[in-house]
Amino acid sequence: MRKPKTLRPDSHIALVAPSSPVSDEKLAMSVASMEFIGLRYTLYPSCTMKHGYLSGPDAQRARDLNDAFGDPDIDGIFCLRGGYGATRLLPLLDYETIRRNPKVFIGYSDITALHTAFGQLCGFTTIHSPMPTRGWDTLDSLSLDLLKKALFSGKPAGPAPVPLRLQPGPRGEPAGEPLAPETLVPGQAQAPLCGGNLSLLTATLGSPYEIDCKNKILFIEDVGAPHYAIDRDLTALSLAGKFRDCAGLIFGTFTDVPPLSEDGEGNLELRQILEEVAAPWGKPAILNFQAGHSYPFITLPFGTEAFLDASSGGLNFLEAPTA
């Protein structure tokens, strides 16, 4: 995997919106994020467009990405938000131009589709991290520190920290308690990281953009999905051989899960689903790793080597995502 150049404080960033539209308030927060960490930026047309639940027509959103990768003055490409729409762009992208011009690329959620495409079809590392609409000037210190290390240090992040809960949890867990990962299947694995949002990983199955996680550590998170939908999508990955092929599994945060129905139907807890669908494959696996649609947010350098010690719940980043 090739690595884009490490950013400097005065690097020039393309702000793009490949998925859903951005409100005026969120756009202002994105600009504030750039100014907060000292980066120059250009707002591409998709940032201020709206086409229903999309941030502009497919052709425009794809053009923004193609133009940003093709512009020699652009050092990095930051997606403003996820939502929906990135998968529509996959057949419209100029992969030859993108392959020739690897650049720092960040985002998560719906941006999973682009992480996978750029890693597999263009051969360079990308960064699964908070996006500028989050307001980087208001990030907790751990999330901000890990993000800045990924963008500016050019050095491996080392062992993933164990964050503290920032606010009381849904079951009354107190703020300030450790958010430590749990062992699902003990064991160890050293391999490159890949993955992202569960619904996006299943949406591309059977297509040329399907994730290839053979001999890789597969990271999975999701938001707003009921347990039966999580079960269904994990089962789809299992049927497609993804848990057979991967070297290890990291299950991140599964947030905003709808409450149990009151119609008398039963339910399976998340851990039980994972034990029944993923664990039988015997791959080293952890759950409750703090990355996804919640904070603190541990930045993940996709395409880089990592060491997973599922027996202890530890993850060690062995490579930087930039050079």
Side-chain angles (χ1 to χ4, degrees):
M1 295 289 283
R2 292 174 299 151
K3 298 181 180 181
K5 292 182 179 179
T6 304
L7 297 181
R8 306 176 305 276
D10 63 343
S11 292
H12 187 190
I13 303 302
L15 295 180
V16 298
S19 301
S20 291
V22 180
S23 67
D24 291 343
E25 178 185 7
K26 290 294 187 180
L27 187 58
M29 292 174 70
S30 300
V31 169
S33 293
M34 295 297 97
E35 295 172 348
F36 175 68
I37 60 173
L39 292 169
R40 295 182 294 122
Y41 64 91
T42 294
L43 291 171
Y44 276 60
S46 58
C47 296
T48 55
M49 299 179 71
K50 184 176 181 181
H51 179 64
Y53 45 74
L54 303 170
S55 61
D58 297 349
Q60 181 61 62
R61 291 179 292 123
R63 186 179 303 118
D64 281 2
L65 286 169
N66 290 333
D67 289 350
F69 274 104
D71 187 341
D73 292 329
I74 294 295
D75 303 303
I77 299 167
F78 293 2
C79 301
L80 295 188
R81 65 163 294 190
Y84 172 74
T87 49
R88 281 196 181 196
L89 307 185
L90 295 177
L92 305 178
L93 296 177
D94 181 356
Y95 291 107
E96 184 55 39
T97 294
I98 296 171
R99 186 182 301 111
R100 291 197 307 267
N101 298 284
K103 297 180 181 185
V104 174
F105 179 83
I106 73 165
Y108 73 102
S109 192
D110 196 60
I111 308 305
T112 294
L114 300 175
H115 281 300
T116 301
F118 296 156
Q120 293 179 188
L121 302 180
C122 302
F124 62 87
T125 57
T126 60
I127 300 173
H128 180 274
S129 75
M131 292 180 277
T133 45
R134 174 57 178 80
W136 290 349
D137 54 331
T138 64
L139 276 180
D140 62 278
S141 58
L142 186 145
S143 300
L144 179 62
D145 180 59
L146 294 174
L147 171 63
K148 292 174 72 173
K149 281 182 178 178
L151 297 178
F152 298 115
S153 75
K155 299 178 181 178
V162 175
L164 296 178
R165 190 183 298 276
L166 298 179
Q167 57 190 7
R171 296 182 177 87
E173 303 94 339
E177 72 169 357
L179 291 166
E182 302 175 22
T183 300
L184 180 66
V185 179
Q188 298 176 335
Q190 181 171 324
L193 290 168
C194 69
N197 183 263
L198 175 59
S199 62
L200 272 295
L201 296 176
T202 57
T204 51
L205 290 177
S207 78
Y209 314 101
E210 175 178 345
I211 192 165
D212 177 5
C213 58
K214 190 171 185 177
N215 299 323
K216 299 175 185 176
I217 297 172
L218 177 60
F219 165 77
I220 299 173
E221 61 85 31
D222 210 343
V223 60
H227 282 185
Y228 75 84
I230 295 172
D231 186 325
R232 178 193 60 212
D233 286 352
L234 289 172
T235 299
L237 292 181
S238 179
L239 293 172
K242 303 308 174 184
F243 300 151
R244 176 199 64 207
D245 293 345
C246 71
L249 287 162
I250 299 171
F251 293 101
T253 54
F254 287 74
T255 53
D256 298 334
V257 176
L260 298 180
S261 64
E262 299 179 358
D263 58 8
E265 290 189 5
N267 197 58
L268 297 176
E269 293 296 331
L270 178 61
R271 183 174 186 119
Q272 188 175 2
I273 296 170
L274 297 176
E275 287 174 344
E276 294 178 2
V277 178
W281 291 99
K283 300 303 174 70
I286 59 174
L287 66 152
N288 297 331
F289 186 82
Q290 193 64 22
H293 289 74
S294 63
Y295 288 82
F297 188 128
I298 297 176
T299 290
L300 296 173
F302 284 164
T304 68
E305 198 87 359
F307 178 74
L308 171 65
D309 186 348
S311 300
S312 67
L315 180 68
N316 192 351
F317 302 112
L318 304 178
E319 284 186 89
T322 63

